[in-house]
Amino acid sequence: MSEQLERYRIYSHITRSRWLHIEDALDIGKVRLFAGDYQKGQGAKAVAWHYLDVADARVLFSDLAWGKPVDFCEFKGTANGGQAISRVLKVKTKDDKTWFALENGPGEVIGEGAVKPAGEPEAMVNVPFNVWDARRLAFTVLAHLDAWTVITFKSRVLAQNS
């Protein structure tokens, strides 16, 4: 049985039927987005996640922090034991809402480890944000990334001077 890694939760956004958690996966140079669709008293109907590289997270969350409209789409995935899993993240501003859409499902390995969706996603979650909530989420994530940068920079400098 594999050990479940406990991740520090940077930010949570919860509505009546959906949630989006932003979690620290900086040990692998990423931020984890974890979303779900649920019904009260019945648990989660769909759960999806995506790992966003720090460099991409900084740009995406900077635009959101300043209220800029975004249209971002990223395809990622993993291939474990011959079975590929596709993970898609879409962040799009439309009118006065920003939508985070996460999709997980079967994938097909192409090229050097790249994974593309193969068929319909098994889990799809769309989480809406108004402008204020999207900005609050973004500034919180950016503050966490800045703190992490300072700590890791200091550690690298101390290790280098030892």
Side-chain angles (χ1 to χ4, degrees):
M1 187 164 140
S2 67
E3 184 179 322
Q4 192 75 337
L5 182 61
E6 185 82 20
R7 299 229 175 255
Y8 174 78
R9 191 159 293 160
I10 301 167
Y11 193 89
S12 290
H13 178 76
I14 302 171
T15 70
R16 288 185 186 166
S17 62
R18 295 173 212 156
W19 80 81
L20 175 67
H21 301 305
I22 310 293
E23 299 175 338
D24 182 318
L26 296 168
D27 55 319
I28 59 172
K30 300 180 186 297
V31 174
R32 182 177 187 248
L33 291 87
F34 176 55
D37 190 352
Y38 68 94
Q39 206 166 20
K40 188 175 182 176
Q42 295 182 14
K45 295 188 294 184
V47 175
W49 61 93
H50 188 87
Y51 288 88
L52 183 62
D53 293 327
V54 169
D56 295 326
R58 286 187 189 281
V59 175
L60 174 64
F61 290 118
S62 289
D63 285 350
L64 286 173
W66 292 107
K68 292 182 179 180
V70 296
D71 189 359
F72 177 82
C73 184
E74 179 177 75
F75 296 88
K76 288 217 173 142
T78 54
N80 293 333
Q83 183 179 8
I85 298 170
S86 167
R87 291 186 189 73
V88 180
L89 171 65
K90 297 175 186 174
V91 183
K92 185 170 180 72
T93 303
K94 186 174 181 182
D95 300 322
D96 61 348
K97 293 266 189 216
T98 297
W99 295 86
F100 279 75
L102 286 80
E103 300 174 1
N104 292 172
E108 177 184 335
V109 178
I110 56 171
E112 298 252 345
V115 177
K116 73 174 188 175
E120 293 297 314
E122 294 170 351
M124 186 169 71
V125 182
N126 286 307
V127 183
F129 286 78
N130 64 36
V131 174
W132 181 259
D133 288 337
R135 292 185 70 206
R136 183 172 39 188
L137 170 139
F139 273 112
T140 302
V141 173
L142 290 170
H144 184 84
L145 293 177
D146 287 345
W148 172 76
T149 300
V150 169
I151 291 167
T152 58
F153 178 77
K154 184 177 178 182
S155 298
R156 286 192 307 260
V157 169
L158 291 173
Q160 193 174 40
N161 292 335
S162 299

